[in-house]
Amino acid sequence: MIFIKKANILQILLLLLVLSSCNQKNSSDKETSEKAKNDTILQIKQGPELTSAYIASKSKSIEHFYNKNWPNKTANGGFLVAKNGQIIFEKYEGLANYKEKSEMTSTTPLHVASVSKVMTATVVLKLISENKLELDQKVNTILKEFPYPDVTVRTLLNHRTGLRNYAYFTEKKGIWDRHKILTNQDILTIMATKGIDLEFRTDSRFSYCNTNYAMLALIIEKVTGLTYKNAMTKMVFKPLGMTNTFVFEYEKDKLTATPSYKRNFAKVNLDYLDAVYGDKNIYSTPRDLLKFDMGRNSSAFLDSKLLKESNVPYSNEYKGTKNYGLGIRMINWPTGKNFYFHNGWWHGNTAAFITLPDESVTIISLSNKYDKKVYKVKNLAALFGDYPFKLSDDEKEE
């Protein structure tokens, strides 16, 4: 009997050992599967293949526009036009680093300034589609010290909060020591403890404000449990194969990131505002931004209902064509034609991101030597659809 009991015990122990091994294997397989899922690059389907005649015709017109605006290789940055995900024309000219005389290439990451907002908004929308966040959720239910009870995620996205610009209120005496680098958390703490009142009643009107997107970056961190940089990498850059795109980290990247310049190539130095992210501080390339645009407009990457909602105009208290959605600027004409874009400017960096979903066209222009001509690339939309722009338009816009 004693032998039988010992045998039973041994059998039970052996069974437990096998079950434990299976559980560990299943757990390991699950982890491997999850890692593979996170590391997988989404294959965003391109549109119909363009004919060589179509490419040649459009390319010729684009090249004429480019040479007229940047004659004799006066551009300093990257420029790209694509349709159906296929590049029709691209150009990289000038110097990435004036001191080192390193040339601009298709893999040179440039600061895209406020074009970063489109990517920040995209992650927020993805979190909403995953039911980790609600569009009309009060911000103070996520960031507990946030002092404005009526502000929601939606009003942060569409710039209807009434928040004041952190670049202005941190200049005031007694608010912040500008010898110290400012962080997103510092902005929140200042608003919570220094009596920074709203500029106007929340959701009563539109006012473009970088503080909104600095707060959205903190929300992303709170909801995901990741740093903003890691969340952007995991949820956008890696899945879309944006291999030359990154979030600038002040201490880590301040000596190595592509610098920016004034028109005469005088270097623009970093300042105390350069550690704030969400509203800016993403470096990218035209080719990577094309990948991003293709992903953003694909239901395989972003929920199509949320994308449609992001394109709804929210800044229309007064009759006009210029509007803002959820992380995207737009022009809405009475004809029903809509134009979607976002410009950027920070230090010597200028950027234009144009997405024409009706025509499956992407137009990107980036420069690290201050250049307002970057914004004129919107006129190229007239080559692809019924947009009331003129290729010879001399309008200057930021």
Side-chain angles (χ1 to χ4, degrees):
M1 290 292 293
I2 294 172
F3 174 77
I4 293 171
K5 284 182 179 179
K6 284 183 177 179
N8 287 341
I9 291 170
L10 286 171
Q11 287 174 344
I12 290 168
L13 288 174
L14 183 62
L15 180 62
L16 289 173
L17 184 63
V18 170
L19 288 173
S20 174
S21 176
C22 287
N23 286 336
Q24 287 178 3
K25 183 179 186 301
N26 288 338
S27 176
S28 176
D29 288 347
K30 185 178 179 181
E31 288 176 8
T32 302
S33 175
E34 284 296 315
K35 186 177 187 304
K37 182 181 176 182
N38 290 335
D39 288 344
T40 299
I41 297 176
L42 286 175
Q43 298 299 318
I44 305 299
K45 188 177 179 181
Q46 292 185 342
E49 187 174 351
L50 304 175
T51 65
S52 56
Y54 179 90
I55 293 173
S57 172
K58 297 299 182 185
S59 180
K60 185 177 180 181
S61 297
I62 297 166
E63 186 172 26
H64 177 76
F65 171 89
Y66 184 91
N67 291 336
K68 182 178 178 182
N69 284 281
W70 294 284
N72 304 316
K73 298 185 177 181
T74 53
N76 203 85
F79 170 74
L80 175 152
V81 180
K83 180 175 172 62
N84 297 347
Q86 300 159 51
I87 297 173
I88 297 174
F89 183 92
E90 67 178 333
K91 199 96 166 179
Y92 302 91
E93 290 185 332
L95 298 172
N97 189 303
Y98 184 76
K99 184 179 179 180
E100 298 174 1
K101 304 301 180 189
S102 56
E103 293 186 358
M104 194 74 63
T105 72
S106 62
T107 60
T108 304
L110 300 179
H111 196 304
V112 301
S114 284
V115 174
S116 304
K117 291 182 175 71
V118 190
M119 287 180 265
T120 298
T122 298
V123 168
V124 172
L125 294 175
K126 284 178 72 66
L127 291 173
I128 291 168
S129 69
E130 294 170 3
N131 298 315
K132 295 177 181 178
L133 197 60
E134 294 177 14
L135 191 52
D136 292 309
Q137 187 171 348
K138 296 289 184 69
V139 173
N140 63 7
T141 67
I142 309 162
L143 306 176
K144 300 303 182 182
E145 61 182 304
F146 189 79
Y148 313 108
D150 295 326
V151 174
T152 64
V153 172
R154 187 192 300 270
T155 56
L156 287 175
L157 285 166
N158 62 24
H159 295 290
R160 296 179 62 86
T161 59
L163 294 183
R164 296 182 181 275
N165 194 321
Y166 66 81
Y168 300 146
F169 65 66
T170 54
E171 287 183 339
K172 294 181 179 180
K173 188 177 180 180
I175 298 296
W176 184 255
D177 179 0
R178 286 184 291 166
H179 294 96
K180 293 169 57 181
I181 299 300
L182 185 74
T183 68
N184 292 55
Q185 180 59 47
D186 290 330
I187 295 170
L188 177 57
T189 301
I190 289 169
M191 293 192 299
T193 62
K194 298 289 186 178
I196 308 297
D197 58 341
L198 293 175
E199 186 178 359
F200 53 84
R201 180 170 53 86
T202 297
D203 208 21
S204 62
R205 65 182 176 89
F206 166 83
S207 182
Y208 185 85
C209 179
N210 289 325
T211 310
N212 293 320
Y213 277 73
M215 293 302 100
L216 284 169
L218 289 180
I219 288 173
I220 289 170
E221 292 183 330
K222 188 72 174 180
V223 172
T224 63
L226 302 170
T227 64
Y228 174 78
K229 177 175 183 172
N230 288 343
M232 297 303 294
T233 301
K234 179 182 178 181
M235 297 180 70
V236 178
F237 307 157
K238 188 171 284 187
L240 295 179
M242 299 168 66
T243 53
N244 294 299
T245 301
F246 66 93
V247 175
F248 176 83
E249 290 181 294
Y250 186 85
E251 291 301 334
K252 177 177 175 288
D253 301 319
K254 63 182 179 181
L255 298 179
T256 56
T258 310
S260 70
Y261 301 95
K262 298 178 182 178
R263 287 189 178 94
N264 62 354
F265 267 119
K267 185 179 177 182
V268 180
N269 293 320
L270 301 180
D271 61 34
Y272 79 104
L273 300 172
D274 275 297
V276 179
Y277 45 79
D279 59 327
K280 61 181 188 309
N281 264 352
I282 290 177
Y283 281 67
S284 191
T285 67
R287 289 186 183 182
D288 274 5
L289 288 175
L290 170 60
K291 294 176 183 177
F292 168 70
D293 189 41
M294 290 177 64
R296 183 177 174 274
N297 284 291
S298 169
S299 59
F301 178 72
L302 181 63
D303 183 88
S304 56
K305 289 182 180 178
L306 283 172
L307 176 62
K308 186 176 180 181
E309 189 158 7
S310 76
N311 289 338
V312 171
Y314 284 91
S315 52
N316 46 15
E317 283 77 33
Y318 304 99
K319 189 172 182 179
T321 58
K322 293 185 178 181
N323 265 299
Y324 203 97
L326 303 179
I328 194 75
R329 288 189 182 275
M330 62 190 72
I331 302 176
N332 308 111
W333 290 285
T335 60
K337 192 65 175 172
N338 302 307
F339 175 76
Y340 303 101
F341 73 106
H342 213 298
N343 289 339
W345 166 56
W346 181 245
H347 295 326
N349 305 287
T350 46
F353 170 84
I354 296 165
T355 175
L356 309 178
D358 289 347
E359 295 81 15
S360 298
V361 168
T362 309
I363 303 170
I364 308 292
S365 186
L366 307 176
S367 178
N368 68 329
K369 182 166 75 75
Y370 184 70
D371 186 359
K372 285 188 176 182
K373 290 178 184 176
V374 161
Y375 309 130
K376 292 177 67 175
V377 299
K378 74 180 192 305
N379 297 330
L380 288 168
L383 289 174
F384 301 97
D386 186 21
Y387 298 95
F389 299 135
K390 296 178 181 178
L391 293 179
S392 59
D393 188 1
D394 289 328
E395 177 188 1
K396 293 181 180 179
E397 179 183 347
E398 283 188 37

